[in-house]
Amino acid sequence: MTGRGASKSYGTVPAGRQKEMSGLEFVQGLAEGTLPLNTIAQTLGYDVTEAENGRVVVTAEPKDIHLNPAGTVHGGLAATMLDSCMGLAIQSTLDKGIGSTTLEFKISFVRPITPETGAIRAEGTVINRGRRIGIADGRVTDSKGRLLVHGTTTCLIFES
């Protein structure tokens, strides 16, 4: 499923409405723009652009507003994108009334990101999804497919 057009909205989806949707319906709603993206996506300027069962893509264009004191893009942008795409990949596998939350995640920076890097893409893929724990892998790449950042996450799965 491919992402949204020009209109975006930001906010939260009420818990009652979330319980009425499967995880895949929820994540596809984010990608299609029928559901609002979270407000941190607005703050950092990233978008959920693809969603399918067990796989989610988040994209962004690094800009000067993302710089750290050293003049490169702050690692928090890639970390947040990875936390989002990996967590949403796990969410996409869940039934109605089931939620998840990040227990831990680890990232490794491979190459620096600067505004000159251009568009970056974070892809999260489920490695294993059990009854109580989900594990996913994530990769941030540039437009040439070069690996910039790699991550893994463990999420707790629970009745919401």
Side-chain angles (χ1 to χ4, degrees):
M1 180 101 3
T2 306
R4 75 183 61 245
S7 68
K8 299 178 185 180
S9 65
Y10 300 92
T12 56
V13 179
R17 185 163 178 214
Q18 284 187 41
K19 287 181 184 182
E20 296 170 354
M21 295 180 272
S22 70
L24 183 58
E25 291 168 333
F26 176 76
V27 179
Q28 285 178 333
L30 299 176
E32 294 166 353
T34 58
L35 294 174
L37 291 173
N38 55 20
T39 54
I40 193 69
Q42 182 178 25
T43 300
L44 293 178
Y46 69 85
D47 192 9
V48 178
T49 56
E50 296 178 38
E52 60 186 61
N53 189 37
R55 184 182 152 280
V56 171
V57 174
V58 172
T59 59
E61 181 92 22
K63 299 184 184 315
D64 289 341
I65 63 167
H66 299 118
L67 298 181
N68 62 26
T72 59
V73 171
H74 192 284
L77 175 63
T80 303
M81 291 174 66
L82 282 171
D83 187 35
S84 295
C85 74
M86 293 185 300
L88 289 172
I90 290 170
Q91 182 73 30
S92 74
T93 68
L94 303 179
D95 293 330
K96 289 180 184 179
I98 306 296
S100 66
T101 191
T102 302
L103 287 175
E104 63 85 29
F105 73 100
K106 177 185 184 284
I107 60 174
S108 298
F109 296 94
V110 178
R111 286 186 173 89
I113 301 171
T114 69
E116 290 74 33
T117 300
I120 57 175
R121 180 179 194 272
E123 181 174 348
T125 307
V126 173
I127 296 171
N128 187 66
R129 212 276 280 168
R131 191 176 57 82
R132 301 281 304 177
I133 298 291
I135 300 169
D137 174 79
R139 298 170 50 92
V140 177
T141 55
D142 65 12
S143 63
K144 296 176 183 166
R146 291 181 295 196
L147 181 65
L148 305 171
V149 186
H150 175 262
T152 57
T153 193
T154 303
C155 290
L156 176 66
I157 297 168
F158 55 89
E159 283 191 42
S160 55

